């Protein structure tokens, strides 16, 4: 009962924050939601990728596989960011999510 009431109160607080009459609180609310979603997506994506890599190489030490996958992911991120350098919106979105993925893998 308490969890449902707390969840409903949180959703209502978010709704009021993103529909506030002043511009600055709305902007900060959307930035907070965007950052939270990018962290969750980055974590979920990294978890799936790490499980795929560990299951694909069962004979090798899992920690070594994860270190190698981090280096590969970081190099791939740099190449993708280089390719997206003329598209600022795609660059920002990709760098945010992929940066969280690299942070979780380190």
């Amino acid at each position: 009962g308490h969890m449902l009431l707390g969840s409903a109160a949180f959703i209502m607080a978010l709704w009021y924050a993103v529909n506030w009459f002043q511009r600055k609180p709305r902007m900060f609310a959307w930035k907070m939601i965007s950052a939270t979603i990018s962290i969750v997506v980055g974590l979920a994506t990294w978890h799936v990728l790490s499980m795929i890599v560990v299951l694909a190489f069962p004979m090798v030490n899992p920690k070594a596989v994860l270190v190698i996958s981090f280096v590969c992911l970081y190099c791939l991120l740099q190449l993708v960011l280089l390719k997206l350098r003329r598209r600022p919106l795609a660059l920002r979105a990709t760098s945010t999510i992929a940066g969280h993925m690299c942070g979780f893998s380190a």
Side-chain angles (χ1 to χ4, degrees):
H2 296 293
M3 187 69 165
L4 180 63
L5 187 60
S7 298
F10 180 72
I11 296 295
M12 288 302 296
L14 280 179
W15 188 85
Y16 279 114
V18 298
N19 291 306
W20 196 256
F21 65 94
Q22 293 175 336
R23 183 181 155 118
K24 269 193 170 181
R26 275 196 320 252
M27 180 186 64
F28 289 130
W30 280 113
K31 283 185 176 186
M32 178 186 66
I33 292 169
S34 174
T36 304
I37 289 174
S38 69
I39 291 171
V40 169
V41 168
L43 177 62
T45 307
W46 167 248
H47 183 69
V48 168
L49 285 176
S50 67
M51 288 296 112
I52 289 171
V53 169
V54 167
L55 292 175
F57 301 103
M59 303 289 189
V60 184
N61 183 2
K63 290 186 181 185
V65 171
L66 291 177
V67 168
I68 293 169
S69 65
F70 164 71
V71 172
C72 292
L73 180 66
Y74 184 76
C75 292
L76 180 66
L77 169 64
Q78 297 305 312
L79 289 173
V80 169
L81 294 180
L82 180 67
K83 196 158 184 80
L84 292 174
R85 69 182 180 267
R86 288 182 175 58
R87 297 174 50 202
L89 188 61
L91 179 72
R92 182 176 171 126
T94 304
S95 64
T96 302
I97 293 174
H100 287 304
M101 287 173 56
C102 284
F104 288 124
S105 67

